[in-house]
Amino acid sequence: MGAIRKTLIWVAAVVIALIVIAILFIALFNWNRARPLINDKVSAAIGRPFAINGDFSVHWARNPDAGGISAWVPWPRFTARDISVANPDWAKRKQFARLEQIQFSLSPLALIGHTVDISTLKLTQPDVDIERDASGRANWQFAVDRSPGNWKLTLGDVVFDRGQLRVDDDVLDLHLDIAVEPLGKPIPFGQLLASHAAGNAPPPRTDQTYHFGWIAHGTWRGAIARGSGRIGSVLAVRNATMPFPLEADLRLRDLHIALEGTLTDPAHLAALNLHLKMSGANMAHLYPLTGVVLPDTPPFSTDGHLTGNLHPGHSVFHYEDFNGKVGTSDLHGTVMFTTAPPRPKLSGTISSGQLRLSDLAPLVGAGGAGKSGVSVRQPTDKVLPVAPFLPDLWKGMDADVHFTGRHIVRKAQLPISDLSTHIVMDAGVLTLDPLRFGVAGGDFDSNIRLDGSVNPMKGRMRISLRGVELKKLFPTVALMKTSLGEIDGDAALAGTGNSVAALMGSSDGEVRLLVDGGAVSKLLLEEAGLNIGNIIVTKLFGDQPAKINCVAADFDARDGVWRSTVFLFDTDTMTINIDGSINLASERLDLTLHPQSKGVRVLSLRSPLYVRGTLKHPDAGVEKGPLLARATGAAVLGTIAAPLTALAALIAPSHEDNNHCAALIAQMRQPPRAPPKK
């Protein structure tokens, strides 16, 4: 028993002696002799030259912040001066980073487990160069040797002071010089949170303070870029719950970005919690910064709460409870953006209390310049938008967004009241299902599919129109104000092309409209039939509505030419048959109206009418041949018989007052079909 006791005493003495020798060795050894070895080992580990160019020294001190037995064991504290880390060969500048001094402590107990545990890393006057070339190579990506058997590195807090940061990002075309300087007096982070606008959820409060201010200047995409802000002094790399405060006000070209909040777990940029404001001339200009494909828009602004969790290959951002404007339209909602394979995805719910229809024009290709930078002007003689869609951009991002516009601000002649749609983008295929409008007291319900995965794209649409009121459909036409009745309609179309004009100009399918019952201005009908006497009587004694038996129209579309197979307007006083075509490829009209009065019409110049010209500039008139024949007949009679006899040629006898609508209505109830577009 005594021998065992003596052996244990000797073992303990040897261990203590070794520890003392190690401590004395570390304390008394000239560590500058170890610089070449350290430089070589670190250079090999990070894959590029590393050097301690100045003095390298070590002294011992306890770390009271360490837990357990580590708090009682002295830690070696290293100080290295004049540190440099080289850039890769392709970079514009030679050095990635230079520091006046680095100080850090190592946990001696962690070294036993092959772990280099640095609780605090203090950087003095860092000067850092951040570069990314046009091919996407980034100088902050180190070729770290992760082969088995290597030592593990863990890092706690990073403490820094004034410094310089240069950013040269050829992918974003962003070039900035950023200077970081200590503030005269640290500013508590919580004081700034009180300035947040009401209605936006602020980031959580923290005991951190702003210790440094920063100023940036440079260029973005060839235009002046500048910014300023504040940051804290301690970046907690290991503690994922310790927030790091940051504030920024950036002006990049026409964009203004202001943010304030916290960053936690900076080793992975795994948690953003920011109050974010943005404004600019066009939301499409955000693409170079965010990679999110957005449409061309009028000037915009937005204010909301941004949270984010960034992980390799799968980052998630939430922009919550935001309020914004696009043009004069207001926007509200919450959206989420994820970067998971196979493509980034934008999803969420957006609503508008007051939506100006002109602000939506870019969504349907009505001009503007987006990421492509190409602006297409709408020809002055065209109605259908010719600006191309950009299906190549659609393939870069998916979407699943619900949108509601409660009140539509539009021109008087366009009676749209509200809008709702579900937008889905999947692998370049855009679907609006449903796309609903309130139109003239009725409903416009549709689903639209545009396949941007092929070039030119293929489009299909189905449209249903129900309960649209005649008098509200043409609010600027005075004679329609006394009209009654509702319009129902259906359409099924398929087309090919990269713009609205191209799709409609190649459309195949069928379009049907039906009015079953109601009333219309009798004066309007008499003018259509050129019944002069009845027009005079109506003008003298007042306009009375004529009963509508039905209005039925059926157009067959082939290669953009819509031909009327049925187009009938039947009332108790008149029947109008319409035939002809509408060419949407050339936007030309070629319609002929054949009015037939019911009952005797005095001074009737009844003759076919025509509607020609273009959609933009239609030309309506009377067919001169039949009208000339009736006038010649009246003149001949006038020379042979009494003058009153001449009126006989201008008196239209009644046709049978048959109601032609029953069979037509049954036919029109059948759903239209759109053939597949080849």
Side-chain angles (χ1 to χ4, degrees), residues 561-608:
V561 180
W562 294 15
R563 291 183 172 85
S564 63
T565 58
V566 174
F567 202 161
L568 174 71
F569 194 119
D570 189 87
T571 73
D572 59 352
T573 62
M574 182 176 296
T575 298
I576 301 175
N577 284 286
I578 305 172
D579 56 43
S581 64
I582 303 172
N583 190 326
L584 293 184
S586 61
E587 296 195 9
R588 298 202 65 83
L589 301 168
D590 186 11
L591 298 173
T592 303
L593 287 70
H594 304 276
Q596 297 291 333
S597 300
K598 297 181 179 181
V600 177
R601 294 294 181 265
V602 180
L603 296 179
S604 175
L605 299 180
R606 186 182 71 247
S607 178

Side-chain angles (χ1 to χ4, degrees), residues 428-447:
V429 179
L430 173 64
T431 304
L432 304 176
D433 186 12
L435 171 60
R436 295 191 177 110
F437 289 95
V439 180
D443 298 309
F444 175 99
D445 197 337
S446 66
N447 62 73

Side-chain angles (χ1 to χ4, degrees), residues 464-668:
S464 173
L465 202 65
R466 295 292 182 269
V468 176
E469 300 178 33
L470 278 173
K471 65 180 178 180
K472 293 181 179 180
L473 187 59
F474 304 99
T476 59
V477 179
L479 290 177
M480 293 298 294
K481 292 182 179 179
T482 59
S483 300
L484 301 174
E486 297 180 348
I487 300 177
D488 295 335
D490 292 286
L493 296 169
T496 300
N498 289 344
S499 68
V500 173
L503 287 167
M504 298 305 295
S506 62
S507 56
D508 291 344
E510 189 175 6
V511 179
R512 293 176 178 175
L513 294 173
L514 176 64
V515 179
D516 184 9
V520 68
S521 164
K522 184 176 292 186
L523 179 60
L524 183 66
L525 294 177
E526 300 296 354
E527 289 181 346
L530 298 181
N531 298 313
I532 299 174
N534 298 83
I535 292 173
I536 294 173
V537 172
T538 303
K539 287 285 189 181
L540 290 175
F541 299 102
D543 186 15
Q544 297 296 323
K547 178 185 176 182
I548 296 175
N549 295 321
C550 71
V551 179
D554 189 347
F555 283 92
D556 180 68
R558 290 293 180 270
D559 294 324
V561 180
W562 294 15
R563 291 183 172 85
S564 63
T565 58
V566 174
F567 202 161
L568 174 71
F569 194 119
D570 189 87
T571 73
D572 59 352
T573 62
M574 182 176 296
T575 298
I576 301 175
N577 284 286
I578 305 172
D579 56 43
S581 64
I582 303 172
N583 190 326
L584 293 184
S586 61
E587 296 195 9
R588 298 202 65 83
L589 301 168
D590 186 11
L591 298 173
T592 303
L593 287 70
H594 304 276
Q596 297 291 333
S597 300
K598 297 181 179 181
V600 177
R601 294 294 181 265
V602 180
L603 296 179
S604 175
L605 299 180
R606 186 182 71 247
S607 178
L609 310 177
Y610 67 80
V611 179
R612 299 192 181 105
T614 66
L615 295 179
K616 185 81 171 184
H617 303 290
D619 177 27
V622 182
E623 293 287 0
K624 296 179 180 179
L627 183 61
L628 182 60
R630 292 176 66 84
T632 302
V636 171
L637 285 174
T639 60
I640 297 175
L644 287 178
T645 310
L647 294 177
L650 301 180
I651 297 176
S654 171
H655 290 267
E656 294 184 3
D657 293 346
N658 292 331
N659 188 330
H660 305 283
C661 295
L664 278 177
I665 291 174
Q667 176 184 342
M668 301 295 285

Side-chain angles (χ1 to χ4, degrees), residues 19-29 60:
I19 293 174
V20 171
I21 292 171
I23 292 173
L24 292 174
F25 175 78
I26 292 174
L28 300 177
F29 179 72
W60 291 87

